[in-house]
Amino acid sequence: MNAPPPSLQPKAGSLRLEVALQLLQQSGLALPDTRQSDPAGWLQAVLDGLCELSSRDALTGLANRRQFELAMAREIDRVARAGEPALVLMIDIDHFKRVNDTHGHPAGDEVLRAVGQALHECIRPMDTVARFGGEEFAMILPNCPPAFGQTVAERVRNKVQSRPVSIAPGVDVSVTVSIGGAFAPQWVRSSAALWIERADQQLYRAKQDGRNRACLEMPPVSHVSAEEKGLLFGHSQFQDLE
């Protein structure tokens, strides 16, 4: 989209930014003190801050579902083109309702924050971890070979299990998670919904088998011809963004 001519572009001082600034202040984001000297740069900082807020879960600070699904779409595109492995993990806190019912919702919030922090400590810079909804979290792990998938999932599970959560002075609760995982089909342009559904099936199996465990679906071995691989290098929705 072409930008409007300078005569039609709104000035930062004429925009109604009070609510946006209140949101940024509440989130703890500090804006540069350049509103008068560099209004364009200051306004860009406001826009960047709002984009950051819109992509994060307010309670845990992790990526939210919207940001996670965008990351999944990008990863599916990459896997289809490069044929490299990628793993998605769906992670659910075991018996979370019991925490809320026994200790109250503030305690449940502490558990969510603690689990989110533990998961964040498990990822690499290239990975994405998000609060998917409620007590469910999700991870995307690019370049994760199937031979290492179970080890990675167990490391995540053990990280959470080994960290009791303090919900009040002198009161700790033990937390465990169940994990379901699935690998993206290589050289295939799948969809985020199908990928998540396969991981959710494994999560259901982990719950049925007793919770506090990780179940992964191993990727099928597929043979793709050179011609089929070439077809994957057609138009991509992400090419327009580069």
Short mmCIF file of all heavy atoms in Angstrom, two decimals, residues 71-72 74-80 82-89 124 126-127 139-146 149 181-187 195 198-199 216-219:
data_model
loop_
_atom_site.label_atom_id
_atom_site.label_comp_id
_atom_site.label_asym_id
_atom_site.label_seq_id
_atom_site.Cartn_x
_atom_site.Cartn_y
_atom_site.Cartn_z
N ALA A 71 4.02 -18.09 13.54
CA ALA A 71 5.31 -18.79 13.53
C ALA A 71 5.16 -20.19 12.92
O ALA A 71 6.04 -20.66 12.20
CB ALA A 71 5.87 -18.88 14.94
N MET A 72 4.05 -20.85 13.21
CA MET A 72 3.81 -22.18 12.63
C MET A 72 3.69 -22.11 11.12
O MET A 72 4.24 -22.95 10.40
CB MET A 72 2.53 -22.79 13.20
CG MET A 72 2.65 -23.33 14.60
SD MET A 72 1.34 -24.54 14.96
CE MET A 72 1.97 -25.99 14.13
N ARG A 74 4.99 -19.95 9.11
CA ARG A 74 6.33 -19.74 8.55
C ARG A 74 7.15 -21.02 8.57
O ARG A 74 7.88 -21.33 7.63
CB ARG A 74 7.05 -18.64 9.33
CG ARG A 74 6.49 -17.24 9.13
CD ARG A 74 7.33 -16.21 9.87
NE ARG A 74 6.83 -14.88 9.68
CZ ARG A 74 7.10 -14.09 8.63
NH1 ARG A 74 7.88 -14.55 7.66
NH2 ARG A 74 6.60 -12.87 8.54
N GLU A 75 7.03 -21.78 9.65
CA GLU A 75 7.81 -23.00 9.77
C GLU A 75 7.33 -24.06 8.78
O GLU A 75 8.14 -24.79 8.20
CB GLU A 75 7.74 -23.54 11.21
CG GLU A 75 8.70 -24.68 11.49
CD GLU A 75 10.15 -24.32 11.24
OE1 GLU A 75 10.50 -23.12 11.25
OE2 GLU A 75 10.95 -25.25 11.02
N ILE A 76 6.02 -24.15 8.59
CA ILE A 76 5.49 -25.09 7.60
C ILE A 76 6.01 -24.73 6.21
O ILE A 76 6.40 -25.62 5.43
CB ILE A 76 3.94 -25.06 7.62
CG1 ILE A 76 3.44 -25.77 8.88
CG2 ILE A 76 3.36 -25.72 6.37
CD1 ILE A 76 1.94 -25.60 9.11
N ASP A 77 6.07 -23.46 5.89
CA ASP A 77 6.60 -23.02 4.61
C ASP A 77 8.07 -23.41 4.48
O ASP A 77 8.51 -23.89 3.42
CB ASP A 77 6.43 -21.51 4.49
CG ASP A 77 6.84 -20.98 3.12
OD1 ASP A 77 6.06 -21.16 2.17
OD2 ASP A 77 7.93 -20.40 3.01
N ARG A 78 8.84 -23.23 5.54
CA ARG A 78 10.27 -23.56 5.50
C ARG A 78 10.48 -25.06 5.35
O ARG A 78 11.32 -25.51 4.55
CB ARG A 78 10.95 -23.06 6.77
CG ARG A 78 12.47 -23.12 6.73
CD ARG A 78 13.06 -22.85 8.10
NE ARG A 78 12.74 -23.93 9.02
CZ ARG A 78 13.41 -25.08 9.06
NH1 ARG A 78 14.42 -25.31 8.24
NH2 ARG A 78 13.06 -26.02 9.92
N VAL A 79 9.72 -25.86 6.10
CA VAL A 79 9.87 -27.32 6.03
C VAL A 79 9.50 -27.83 4.66
O VAL A 79 10.14 -28.74 4.11
CB VAL A 79 9.01 -27.99 7.12
CG1 VAL A 79 8.96 -29.49 6.92
CG2 VAL A 79 9.56 -27.67 8.50
N ALA A 80 8.45 -27.26 4.07
CA ALA A 80 8.03 -27.70 2.75
C ALA A 80 9.10 -27.42 1.70
O ALA A 80 9.30 -28.21 0.78
CB ALA A 80 6.72 -27.01 2.36
N ALA A 82 12.57 -26.69 2.36
CA ALA A 82 13.91 -27.19 2.66
C ALA A 82 13.93 -28.65 3.07
O ALA A 82 14.98 -29.29 3.07
CB ALA A 82 14.53 -26.34 3.78
N GLY A 83 12.79 -29.21 3.46
CA GLY A 83 12.74 -30.60 3.86
C GLY A 83 13.38 -30.88 5.20
O GLY A 83 13.65 -32.03 5.54
N GLU A 84 13.63 -29.83 5.99
CA GLU A 84 14.26 -30.02 7.30
C GLU A 84 13.21 -30.37 8.35
O GLU A 84 12.06 -29.96 8.25
CB GLU A 84 15.01 -28.75 7.71
CG GLU A 84 16.16 -28.40 6.77
CD GLU A 84 16.84 -27.10 7.16
OE1 GLU A 84 16.30 -26.40 8.03
OE2 GLU A 84 17.90 -26.79 6.58
N PRO A 85 13.60 -31.13 9.37
CA PRO A 85 12.62 -31.56 10.38
C PRO A 85 12.21 -30.41 11.29
O PRO A 85 12.99 -29.48 11.53
CB PRO A 85 13.37 -32.64 11.16
CG PRO A 85 14.82 -32.26 11.02
CD PRO A 85 14.95 -31.67 9.64
N ALA A 86 11.01 -30.48 11.79
CA ALA A 86 10.51 -29.51 12.77
C ALA A 86 9.50 -30.21 13.66
O ALA A 86 8.67 -30.98 13.18
CB ALA A 86 9.89 -28.31 12.08
N LEU A 87 9.57 -29.93 14.94
CA LEU A 87 8.72 -30.58 15.94
C LEU A 87 7.83 -29.54 16.61
O LEU A 87 8.29 -28.45 16.97
CB LEU A 87 9.60 -31.27 16.99
CG LEU A 87 8.90 -31.90 18.20
CD1 LEU A 87 8.01 -33.07 17.78
CD2 LEU A 87 9.94 -32.35 19.23
N VAL A 88 6.55 -29.88 16.80
CA VAL A 88 5.67 -29.06 17.62
C VAL A 88 5.28 -29.87 18.84
O VAL A 88 4.99 -31.07 18.75
CB VAL A 88 4.42 -28.60 16.85
CG1 VAL A 88 3.53 -29.74 16.44
CG2 VAL A 88 3.62 -27.59 17.67
N LEU A 89 5.32 -29.23 20.00
CA LEU A 89 4.93 -29.85 21.26
C LEU A 89 3.73 -29.12 21.83
O LEU A 89 3.75 -27.88 21.94
CB LEU A 89 6.07 -29.80 22.28
CG LEU A 89 7.37 -30.54 21.94
CD1 LEU A 89 8.40 -30.33 23.05
CD2 LEU A 89 7.13 -32.03 21.72
N ARG A 124 15.72 -22.72 22.44
CA ARG A 124 16.84 -22.06 21.77
C ARG A 124 16.34 -20.75 21.15
O ARG A 124 15.13 -20.54 21.05
CB ARG A 124 17.38 -22.97 20.66
CG ARG A 124 17.79 -24.36 21.10
CD ARG A 124 17.91 -25.29 19.90
NE ARG A 124 16.61 -25.48 19.25
CZ ARG A 124 16.43 -26.17 18.12
NH1 ARG A 124 17.46 -26.74 17.52
NH2 ARG A 124 15.22 -26.29 17.60
N MET A 126 16.07 -19.90 18.17
CA MET A 126 15.26 -20.14 16.97
C MET A 126 13.89 -20.72 17.29
O MET A 126 13.01 -20.78 16.43
CB MET A 126 16.00 -21.11 16.03
CG MET A 126 16.11 -22.52 16.58
SD MET A 126 17.08 -23.62 15.50
CE MET A 126 18.73 -23.00 15.80
N ASP A 127 13.67 -21.19 18.52
CA ASP A 127 12.42 -21.84 18.90
C ASP A 127 11.36 -20.80 19.28
O ASP A 127 11.67 -19.64 19.55
CB ASP A 127 12.64 -22.79 20.07
CG ASP A 127 13.65 -23.88 19.77
OD1 ASP A 127 13.80 -24.24 18.59
OD2 ASP A 127 14.29 -24.36 20.72
N MET A 139 5.08 -25.38 21.76
CA MET A 139 6.44 -25.07 21.32
C MET A 139 6.62 -25.47 19.86
O MET A 139 6.09 -26.50 19.43
CB MET A 139 7.47 -25.85 22.13
CG MET A 139 7.86 -25.30 23.44
SD MET A 139 9.23 -26.29 24.13
CE MET A 139 9.44 -25.47 25.70
N ILE A 140 7.36 -24.67 19.12
CA ILE A 140 7.83 -25.04 17.80
C ILE A 140 9.35 -25.14 17.88
O ILE A 140 10.01 -24.19 18.32
CB ILE A 140 7.45 -24.02 16.72
CG1 ILE A 140 5.95 -23.80 16.68
CG2 ILE A 140 7.96 -24.47 15.35
CD1 ILE A 140 5.53 -22.68 15.75
N LEU A 141 9.89 -26.27 17.43
CA LEU A 141 11.34 -26.48 17.48
C LEU A 141 11.84 -26.82 16.08
O LEU A 141 11.80 -27.97 15.64
CB LEU A 141 11.68 -27.62 18.45
CG LEU A 141 11.24 -27.37 19.89
CD1 LEU A 141 10.08 -28.29 20.25
CD2 LEU A 141 12.38 -27.55 20.86
N PRO A 142 12.34 -25.81 15.34
CA PRO A 142 12.90 -26.07 14.02
C PRO A 142 14.18 -26.89 14.12
O PRO A 142 14.86 -26.91 15.15
CB PRO A 142 13.20 -24.67 13.48
CG PRO A 142 12.43 -23.72 14.36
CD PRO A 142 12.36 -24.38 15.69
N ASN A 143 14.50 -27.57 13.02
CA ASN A 143 15.75 -28.34 12.95
C ASN A 143 15.91 -29.28 14.14
O ASN A 143 16.99 -29.41 14.71
CB ASN A 143 16.96 -27.40 12.87
CG ASN A 143 16.96 -26.57 11.61
OD1 ASN A 143 16.60 -27.05 10.54
ND2 ASN A 143 17.34 -25.31 11.73
N CYS A 144 14.83 -29.95 14.51
CA CYS A 144 14.87 -30.94 15.58
C CYS A 144 14.68 -32.31 14.97
O CYS A 144 13.56 -32.69 14.61
CB CYS A 144 13.78 -30.66 16.62
SG CYS A 144 13.78 -31.84 17.99
N PRO A 145 15.75 -33.09 14.79
CA PRO A 145 15.64 -34.40 14.15
C PRO A 145 14.78 -35.35 14.97
O PRO A 145 14.75 -35.27 16.21
CB PRO A 145 17.10 -34.90 14.09
CG PRO A 145 17.93 -33.68 14.25
CD PRO A 145 17.15 -32.75 15.12
N PRO A 146 14.05 -36.25 14.32
CA PRO A 146 13.21 -37.21 15.05
C PRO A 146 13.97 -38.02 16.09
O PRO A 146 13.41 -38.38 17.12
CB PRO A 146 12.68 -38.11 13.93
CG PRO A 146 12.65 -37.23 12.72
CD PRO A 146 13.85 -36.34 12.85
N GLY A 149 13.75 -36.04 19.30
CA GLY A 149 12.47 -35.49 19.72
C GLY A 149 12.05 -35.92 21.11
O GLY A 149 11.64 -35.09 21.93
N GLY A 181 3.56 -34.57 20.94
CA GLY A 181 4.38 -33.97 19.89
C GLY A 181 4.17 -34.61 18.54
O GLY A 181 3.81 -35.79 18.44
N ALA A 182 4.39 -33.82 17.49
CA ALA A 182 4.30 -34.33 16.12
C ALA A 182 5.28 -33.55 15.26
O ALA A 182 5.50 -32.35 15.47
CB ALA A 182 2.89 -34.20 15.57
N PHE A 183 5.87 -34.24 14.30
CA PHE A 183 6.79 -33.61 13.37
C PHE A 183 6.03 -33.15 12.13
O PHE A 183 5.08 -33.80 11.69
CB PHE A 183 7.90 -34.58 12.96
CG PHE A 183 8.93 -34.81 14.02
CD1 PHE A 183 8.73 -35.78 14.99
CD2 PHE A 183 10.07 -34.05 14.07
CE1 PHE A 183 9.67 -35.99 15.99
CE2 PHE A 183 11.02 -34.24 15.06
CZ PHE A 183 10.82 -35.22 16.03
N ALA A 184 6.46 -32.01 11.60
CA ALA A 184 5.86 -31.53 10.36
C ALA A 184 6.24 -32.46 9.22
O ALA A 184 7.39 -32.92 9.16
CB ALA A 184 6.35 -30.11 10.06
N PRO A 185 5.30 -32.77 8.33
CA PRO A 185 5.65 -33.62 7.19
C PRO A 185 6.63 -32.89 6.27
O PRO A 185 6.36 -31.77 5.82
CB PRO A 185 4.30 -33.86 6.51
CG PRO A 185 3.43 -32.73 6.95
CD PRO A 185 3.89 -32.37 8.33
N GLN A 186 7.76 -33.52 5.99
CA GLN A 186 8.79 -32.89 5.17
C GLN A 186 8.39 -32.90 3.70
O GLN A 186 7.81 -33.85 3.20
CB GLN A 186 10.12 -33.61 5.37
CG GLN A 186 10.66 -33.48 6.79
CD GLN A 186 11.84 -34.39 7.05
OE1 GLN A 186 11.69 -35.53 7.48
NE2 GLN A 186 13.04 -33.89 6.79
N TRP A 187 8.74 -31.82 3.01
CA TRP A 187 8.44 -31.64 1.59
C TRP A 187 6.94 -31.64 1.31
O TRP A 187 6.51 -31.93 0.21
CB TRP A 187 9.12 -32.72 0.74
CG TRP A 187 10.61 -32.77 0.87
CD1 TRP A 187 11.34 -33.76 1.45
CD2 TRP A 187 11.53 -31.78 0.42
NE1 TRP A 187 12.68 -33.45 1.39
CE2 TRP A 187 12.84 -32.25 0.76
CE3 TRP A 187 11.42 -30.56 -0.24
CZ2 TRP A 187 13.99 -31.54 0.46
CZ3 TRP A 187 12.57 -29.84 -0.54
CH2 TRP A 187 13.83 -30.33 -0.19
N TRP A 195 -1.28 -29.93 11.77
CA TRP A 195 -0.08 -30.21 12.56
C TRP A 195 -0.42 -30.22 14.05
O TRP A 195 -0.04 -31.12 14.80
CB TRP A 195 0.98 -29.18 12.23
CG TRP A 195 2.37 -29.51 12.70
CD1 TRP A 195 2.81 -30.69 13.25
CD2 TRP A 195 3.52 -28.67 12.62
NE1 TRP A 195 4.14 -30.62 13.54
CE2 TRP A 195 4.60 -29.39 13.16
CE3 TRP A 195 3.73 -27.37 12.16
CZ2 TRP A 195 5.89 -28.85 13.25
CZ3 TRP A 195 5.00 -26.84 12.24
CH2 TRP A 195 6.07 -27.57 12.77
N ARG A 198 -2.49 -33.34 15.10
CA ARG A 198 -1.69 -34.55 15.30
C ARG A 198 -0.97 -34.53 16.64
O ARG A 198 -0.89 -35.54 17.34
CB ARG A 198 -0.70 -34.72 14.15
CG ARG A 198 -1.37 -35.09 12.83
CD ARG A 198 -0.43 -35.01 11.65
NE ARG A 198 0.87 -35.59 11.96
CZ ARG A 198 2.03 -34.99 11.68
NH1 ARG A 198 2.04 -33.80 11.09
NH2 ARG A 198 3.16 -35.58 11.98
N ALA A 199 -0.44 -33.35 17.02
CA ALA A 199 0.21 -33.24 18.32
C ALA A 199 -0.80 -33.38 19.46
O ALA A 199 -0.52 -34.00 20.50
CB ALA A 199 0.95 -31.91 18.42
N LEU A 216 5.15 -38.88 21.50
CA LEU A 216 5.44 -38.26 20.22
C LEU A 216 5.04 -39.17 19.07
O LEU A 216 5.24 -40.39 19.14
CB LEU A 216 6.93 -37.92 20.10
CG LEU A 216 7.37 -36.53 20.56
CD1 LEU A 216 7.10 -36.34 22.06
CD2 LEU A 216 8.84 -36.30 20.24
N GLU A 217 4.50 -38.57 18.04
CA GLU A 217 4.23 -39.27 16.79
C GLU A 217 5.46 -39.15 15.90
O GLU A 217 5.90 -38.05 15.58
CB GLU A 217 3.02 -38.64 16.09
CG GLU A 217 2.73 -39.22 14.71
CD GLU A 217 1.79 -38.36 13.91
OE1 GLU A 217 2.27 -37.39 13.28
OE2 GLU A 217 0.58 -38.64 13.93
N MET A 218 6.00 -40.27 15.49
CA MET A 218 7.15 -40.24 14.62
C MET A 218 6.72 -39.95 13.19
O MET A 218 5.66 -40.41 12.75
CB MET A 218 7.89 -41.58 14.67
CG MET A 218 8.62 -41.82 15.99
SD MET A 218 9.97 -40.63 16.29
CE MET A 218 9.21 -39.51 17.46
N PRO A 219 7.52 -39.18 12.44
CA PRO A 219 7.11 -38.82 11.08
C PRO A 219 7.19 -40.02 10.15
O PRO A 219 8.10 -40.85 10.27
CB PRO A 219 8.13 -37.74 10.70
CG PRO A 219 9.35 -38.08 11.50
CD PRO A 219 8.83 -38.63 12.80
#
